[in-house]
Amino acid sequence: MTEPRSPEPRSPEPRRPDGRGGIVVGLVLIGLGGLFLAERFTNIDLASAGWPLFVIVPGVLLLGWGITMTGREGAGLAVGGAITTVVGLILAVQNVTGLWATWAYAWALVGPGGTGVGLLAYGLTHRDQGLITNGLRSLGSGLALFFAFGLFFEGVIGLSGAPFLSTEVGPVILIGLGVVIVVAGLLRGRRTSG
């Protein structure tokens, strides 16, 4: 006697793409075309002044592509795209100002900061509260490290010029920063005890 066979599990229906990836790519191409058209009319040499765009644009593309995908792959692409975009933006600022030594503390905007931006963008797009929270924490950590190291390298050492803590403005900045930290601590303590 043969045992009845259970029906074979059906494979899930493949998801059909929703077209968001194509929209992002199309918008980026329109933006690039507009940028190159503006270069023609304004006589700005993008090769010398706008070379960081060759880092920013692929980063924005990866970020846009990542947030249109689902699953871990999408979150990973969004984080990679955000990190690349942040690197390009830092390079653009350094290209304009000539302050290349700021990499001594700008790295904090890339690692934790860029990761936070990617997680936040993906979490907001997919309404994932856990990723939004983690993204905000990572972004906050990156910004805190950036300001702390920036305060040390620019205020104490004077990496890009005279240390600003030796001027009249420096102590006022320290007092203001201290007030903000104390108020934030008091507000946080009041929220957790209430």
Side-chain angles (χ1 to χ4, degrees):
M1 187 165 208
T2 59
E3 292 182 22
R5 296 176 88 189
S6 60
E8 291 192 28
R10 291 180 44 187
S11 61
E13 297 278 330
R15 284 193 219 174
R16 294 195 321 206
D18 58 6
R20 286 187 282 181
I23 292 170
V24 170
V25 171
L27 289 173
V28 169
L29 290 175
I30 291 169
L32 278 174
L35 188 66
F36 287 123
L37 190 61
E39 176 190 30
R40 296 269 186 193
F41 290 115
T42 60
N43 293 325
I44 295 174
D45 183 18
L46 281 179
S48 64
W51 66 267
L53 289 172
F54 295 109
V55 179
I56 295 170
V57 170
V60 170
L61 281 171
L62 274 177
L63 177 62
W65 187 18
I67 63 174
T68 63
M69 296 177 69
T70 57
R72 288 184 153 179
E73 298 84 8
L77 279 175
V79 167
I83 288 172
T84 306
T85 302
V86 169
V87 167
L89 292 171
I90 291 170
L91 289 172
V93 169
Q94 290 174 333
N95 188 45
V96 169
T97 62
L99 299 174
W100 299 101
T102 57
W103 271 118
Y105 54 93
W107 60 266
L109 295 175
V110 176
T115 300
V117 169
L119 290 174
L120 186 61
Y122 188 84
L124 287 171
T125 304
H126 295 278
R127 295 182 182 99
D128 185 331
Q129 190 59 43
L131 287 179
I132 292 171
T133 302
N134 289 337
L136 287 172
R137 283 186 186 143
S138 184
L139 180 59
S141 297
L143 289 172
L145 287 169
F146 173 74
F147 285 116
F149 284 116
L151 181 65
F152 174 73
F153 281 112
E154 299 297 348
V156 176
I157 294 177
L159 188 65
S160 301
F164 70 84
L165 288 178
S166 63
T167 66
E168 294 81 23
V169 176
V172 173
I173 291 174
L174 286 178
I175 291 169
L177 185 61
V179 167
V180 168
I181 291 172
V182 167
V183 169
L186 290 173
L187 291 175
R188 190 175 318 130
R190 186 176 292 165
R191 260 189 276 152
T192 56
S193 65

